[in-house]
């Protein structure tokens, strides 16, 4: 994560949006620190202006992804959001899209269905399993870790995405597994 600081500068303010149109990496990835002559003014610039500009631009470019081929969101959230060349897929459960019911109580079948549902969301956004850079797996029982890995490895080839796996107290609808991911577009 970049850190930026501003000193007293006498140059005019930079319109980050204009700069971004001409230099896409200028905002959002790094920030420049300006060292200049001290101005007679004692006011300070906002120290994280470039970071906040990058985040506000992300909000301007976000697009919701929705497909009928994956279960509908269970609350006020999107199946996925595209923002600044990334796709953020919400937690996916092992529900059959047409019925909204679990495929079964089996961890193996729920894992398989979760990954199929995730694949449909990825496809609807123009991405694929190979686009995924990070996954987070939430399990109702960490003892299912080995079974989940066997199925997961069929969907993600080398180099596999970065990943975190947690046992959680409970999952929506008493699911046994939920997976979310981030993909690069």
């Amino acid at each position: 994560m970049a850190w930026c600081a501003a000193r007293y500068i006498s140059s005019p303010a930079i319109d980050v949006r204009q700069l971004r149109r001409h230099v896409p990496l200028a905002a959002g990835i790094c920030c420049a620190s300006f060292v200049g002559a001290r101005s007679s003014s004692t006011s300070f610039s906002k120290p994280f202006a470039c970071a906040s500009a990058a985040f506000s631009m992300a909000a301007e470019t976000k697009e919701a992804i929705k497909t009928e081929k994956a279960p509908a969101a269970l609350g006020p959230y999107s199946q996925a959001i595209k923002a600044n060349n990334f796709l953020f897929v919400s937690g996916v459960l092992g529900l059959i899209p047409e019925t909204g019911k679990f495929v079964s109580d089996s961890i193996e079948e729920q894992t398989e269905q979760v990954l199929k549902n995730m694949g449909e969301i990825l496809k609807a956004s123009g991405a694929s399993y190979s686009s995924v850079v990070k996954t987070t797996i939430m399990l109702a029982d960490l003892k299912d870790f080995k079974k989940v890995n066997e199925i997961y490895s069929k969907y993600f080839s080398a180099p596999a995405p970065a990943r975190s796996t947690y046992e959680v107290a409970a999952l929506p609808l008493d699911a046994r597994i939920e997976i979310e991911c981030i993909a690069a577009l």
Side-chain angles (χ1 to χ4, degrees), residues 130-166:
S130 64
S131 307
V132 176
V133 295
K134 171 73 168 85
T135 61
T136 303
I137 300 175
M138 291 145 286
L139 296 171
D141 188 346
L142 202 53
K143 291 177 186 159
D144 292 330
F145 186 77
K146 184 177 177 188
K147 294 175 189 173
V148 169
N149 276 339
E150 289 171 11
I151 296 161
Y152 180 94
S153 66
K154 292 190 274 181
Y155 288 84
F156 297 103
S157 57
R163 186 178 96 180
S164 301
T165 304
Y166 304 98

